[in-house]
Amino acid sequence: NNSSSSSTNNDPPVTYPKNSEHANTSPTTTATATKTSSAAPPKKTYKEIQFESMLSSSSIPLRDLRKLAWNGIPPPHRPIIWKILLGYLPSTASRHKATLARRRREYKSAIKQHYDIPDDTRTNSEQETLRQVLVDVPRTMPEVPLFHNDRVRRCLSRLLYIWAMRHPASSYVQGINDLATPLIAVFLSGYFGGKDCLDGEVMGDVTDAMLEEVEADTYWCVCVFPFSNVYICDSTFCKKHEKRLLFFEGRESRIRIYIYPVLHN
């Protein structure tokens, strides 16, 4: 057909990039790809580069990590660094995977032993502890949407009760729940690139497997603290001892937990 041939010949030629990878790409796709590739990723800060370099070491130098972490940790690195500084994970990176798998299995066994049992098998003291936990958890962090979520509350209830059963000398006291909440929030953020999860919006994307891992990791990190040396304290105490404290700070003022020098020993 002469008319269609003439129309085709009058169209401007389509020029593809010389790179052979784009030889079969349409003009629209090429333009979109060029526009996307031109958006440079955000530049990393010097501190982020320092943390990444340290975490890439086969053996992480704890003294240097503590020093670097003193003035704050970039959100994407907080979950792994908190676990290392608390002694939950070893400084040898190659042992992390096996350590996590073992401790998470042990926590599952603890759930079967202490929590997933008939109520009539609990002693009066155990029933009273469970009642205290179940009353306390809904009142924990009332201004933070993440802790309104029923799944998160079940995790918190379970780990607090199991902690009390395994620490009969102190058992459950108010305040231990406030120690667990920043750990839950930070460990959960690790599945989302360090994103702030306190608004609870990520819960639609959180699988049961993720939440089980967060619960187990939180439990073991709470177990790390010798409670005779841990204070959930007011600003007067903190100012007096500020040189000996390392604080975990969240967006909300009530997620500010001050740890007496556990992380420096």
Side-chain angles (χ1 to χ4, degrees), residues 23-259:
N24 296 321
T25 307
S26 68
T28 303
T29 305
T30 302
T32 304
T34 302
K35 183 177 180 180
T36 302
S37 62
S38 64
K43 188 175 181 180
K44 294 179 181 178
T45 65
Y46 177 66
K47 191 167 190 176
E48 288 174 329
I49 295 172
Q50 283 182 300
F51 274 109
E52 289 180 3
S53 174
M54 196 168 291
L55 290 174
S56 66
S57 303
S58 57
S59 181
I60 300 167
L62 291 180
R63 183 183 296 273
D64 293 340
L65 184 60
R66 291 189 189 103
K67 184 177 180 180
L68 184 61
W70 180 258
N71 290 318
I73 305 168
H77 302 307
R78 279 182 196 157
I80 182 70
I81 291 176
W82 282 21
K83 291 170 188 174
I84 294 170
L85 289 180
L86 290 169
Y88 175 47
L89 286 180
S91 59
T92 305
S94 61
R95 294 171 53 200
H96 287 180
K97 186 176 180 180
T99 300
L100 288 172
R102 175 173 56 83
R103 302 307 289 272
R104 289 166 179 173
R105 282 196 307 269
E106 291 173 358
Y107 181 70
K108 282 186 177 181
S109 297
I111 292 176
K112 293 178 181 178
Q113 179 183 354
H114 297 292
Y115 198 84
D116 291 342
I117 60 175
D119 281 337
D120 58 9
T121 64
R122 304 184 203 274
T123 66
N124 290 338
S125 175
E126 290 170 347
Q127 290 180 12
E128 176 58 22
T129 297
L130 181 58
R131 186 196 69 79
Q132 289 178 354
V133 169
L134 295 177
V135 167
D136 238 16
V137 165
R139 299 185 298 197
T140 300
M141 307 301 295
E143 72 278 22
V144 180
L146 176 64
F147 297 102
H148 298 176
N149 184 274
D150 288 339
R151 296 165 68 202
V152 173
R153 285 179 172 179
R154 282 196 294 271
C155 289
L156 185 58
S157 299
R158 234 183 341 253
L159 74 89
L160 291 175
Y161 178 75
I162 293 171
W163 187 93
M165 293 300 97
R166 293 199 159 191
H167 296 80
S170 56
S171 190
Y172 177 75
V173 293
Q174 286 186 333
I176 300 177
N177 54 329
D178 287 323
L179 183 61
T181 49
L183 296 170
I184 290 174
V186 167
F187 294 163
L188 187 60
S189 76
Y191 295 89
F192 301 94
K195 176 182 177 182
D196 185 343
C197 297
L198 295 178
D199 58 14
E201 293 182 1
V202 301
M203 289 307 300
D205 298 319
V206 175
T207 65
D208 289 343
M210 289 180 190
L211 211 50
E212 287 172 5
E213 292 176 354
V214 168
E215 180 182 343
D217 295 346
T218 299
Y219 168 79
W220 288 116
C221 285
V222 170
C223 288
V224 165
F225 299 118
F227 272 76
S228 61
N229 285 341
V230 173
Y231 303 86
I232 299 177
C233 59
D234 59 26
S235 58
T236 303
F237 177 92
C238 295
K239 288 178 182 177
K240 183 177 178 181
H241 299 279
E242 61 183 353
K243 292 184 179 179
R244 304 182 67 186
L245 298 166
L246 177 63
F247 59 87
F248 296 163
E249 185 174 356
R251 186 181 65 187
E252 303 289 342
S253 60
R254 286 190 60 187
I255 308 184
R256 191 171 287 180
I257 308 297
Y258 295 84
I259 309 303

Side-chain angles (χ1 to χ4, degrees), residues 16-26 30:
Y16 293 99
K18 294 181 180 180
N19 189 331
S20 60
E21 293 179 357
H22 301 282
N24 296 321
T25 307
S26 68
T30 302

